[in-house]
Amino acid sequence: MEIIKTIADMKQFAAAHRGEGIGFVPTMGALHEGHLSLIQRSVKENAVTVVSVFVNPTQFCPGEDYEAYPRTLDADAALAADAGAAAVFAPSAQEMYPESYDTYVETGGITDALCGKSRPGHFRGVTTVLTKLFHLVQPQRAYFGQKDAQQLLVVQKMVRELNFDLEIIGCPIVREADGLAKSSRNQYLSADERQRAVVLSRSLNWAQAQMDAGVTAAAQLIDGMRTMIAAEGGDVEYIEYVSRETLRPLDTVQPCSMFALAVRFGTTRLIDNLFVD
């Protein structure tokens, strides 16, 4: 497996393999089983799989953990190789954003909801770096986890509206045995916080059970989830029930929708969601 660190070398690799069919898994590193499931699916569906490992500074908001974000390239490269990746693209921030850099890509509408409310500029950073990465890697397919549901929907909208010749594939959330969604940020949790954070998936499972029993009022379900999470000491940033097409709030249960939540345990911000069909 190759480790590629420059734009010039990435372009050369893409040109050599574009005709074979390239699958792409963009990450910020600190790979876990969730990332590996994306890589493994790409390996099954494409001749060549490229994994990017790049902690993107433009998607971090003031006061967030850019400097502290884990950087474990050697371990990440070994995991990617074991999963079958052909290359890891790991550029520096200076390589991707030279001193004179001043061009950005924005997707309107759905970036104003959910995480976009409290993280201004975050999705502009996401769409900008992905536009650059898609251009450099030249994939036919790119794989994203459902845990970052808003990001998945934003990227699908960007690719559709900017006419990228690229298929965006959403993959199911990978969870720990107790239900907590896999995340690089889980390592920031204390042992006590880690135990209490399981309430996120438990509250979503409760909402599913309530819907199965015939409850259709979104406010009733959200109130119940909020009560469960507060009882475990979670600091709720938002719990919303929204359309998966527009991310606008919905009052009653209906297809193509989702529950989405963001909650802090201590200083660690976790997200989770439940697709409703």
Side-chain angles (χ1 to χ4, degrees):
M1 189 195 72
E2 297 186 42
I3 298 178
I4 301 169
K5 294 191 175 183
T6 69
I7 286 172
D9 287 346
M10 186 65 251
K11 286 183 174 180
Q12 185 175 11
F13 181 94
H17 295 282
R18 169 75 178 176
E20 302 170 41
I22 298 174
F24 180 43
V25 181
T27 84
M28 292 209 301
L31 300 187
H32 51 68
E33 287 88 343
H35 298 114
L36 298 181
S37 71
L38 304 181
I39 298 170
Q40 289 161 355
R41 178 163 175 184
S42 177
V43 168
K44 289 179 181 178
E45 297 179 354
N46 303 277
V48 174
T49 291
V50 175
V51 178
S52 64
V53 174
F54 178 62
V55 184
N56 177 35
T58 64
Q59 69 188 68
F60 286 80
C61 301
E64 293 188 341
D65 56 354
Y66 173 68
E67 295 299 337
Y69 199 87
R71 291 163 171 82
T72 54
L73 178 58
D74 290 344
D76 292 339
L79 288 170
D82 287 345
V88 165
F89 180 41
S92 66
Q94 181 63 27
E95 182 79 2
M96 292 293 282
Y97 302 108
E99 188 173 347
S100 59
Y101 190 89
D102 195 27
T103 300
Y104 297 89
V105 177
E106 290 195 72
T107 301
I110 62 174
T111 57
D112 298 329
L114 304 180
C115 290
K117 293 179 182 177
S118 60
R119 305 184 72 191
H122 166 71
F123 286 110
R124 185 181 81 156
V126 170
T127 48
T128 297
V129 76
L130 287 174
T131 297
K132 290 172 69 68
L133 289 170
F134 293 158
H135 178 63
L136 296 171
V137 177
Q138 293 289 298
Q140 282 78 39
R141 301 182 184 94
Y143 298 80
F144 292 81
Q146 182 189 309
K147 182 181 74 69
D148 297 297
Q150 185 174 14
Q151 173 179 272
L152 171 61
L153 298 172
V154 167
V155 175
Q156 288 174 330
K157 177 181 173 72
M158 178 188 77
V159 165
R160 181 174 64 252
E161 294 185 353
L162 292 183
N163 307 116
F164 281 79
D165 185 16
L166 171 64
E167 181 181 4
I168 301 298
I169 299 174
C171 301
I173 298 173
V174 177
R175 298 184 179 276
E176 303 283 359
D178 60 7
L180 183 66
K182 297 273 189 180
S183 171
S184 301
R185 288 189 167 91
N186 289 349
Q187 63 187 286
Y188 299 152
L189 297 167
S190 69
D192 177 62
E193 290 165 350
R194 169 65 183 79
Q195 185 174 10
R196 290 187 286 114
V198 177
V199 72
L200 301 186
S201 61
R202 195 167 74 240
S203 71
L204 292 168
N205 291 337
W206 173 86
Q208 181 67 70
Q210 293 295 300
M211 289 186 288
D212 291 343
V215 176
T216 60
Q220 179 180 343
L221 296 166
I222 290 170
D223 286 346
M225 295 170 66
R226 188 179 297 273
T227 298
M228 292 177 67
I229 292 169
E232 293 291 343
D235 180 12
V236 175
E237 179 181 310
Y238 67 77
I239 304 174
E240 295 194 35
Y241 179 64
V242 299
S243 162
R244 291 212 306 270
E245 295 178 350
T246 65
L247 296 189
R248 292 176 180 169
L250 301 172
D251 293 329
T252 59
V253 172
Q254 52 192 276
C256 197
S257 58
M258 71 175 178
F259 285 95
L261 53 81
V263 178
R264 290 185 185 274
F265 290 90
T267 60
T268 305
R269 181 182 186 272
L270 301 178
I271 59 174
D272 205 340
N273 63 78
L274 171 69
F275 280 19
V276 177
D277 290 305

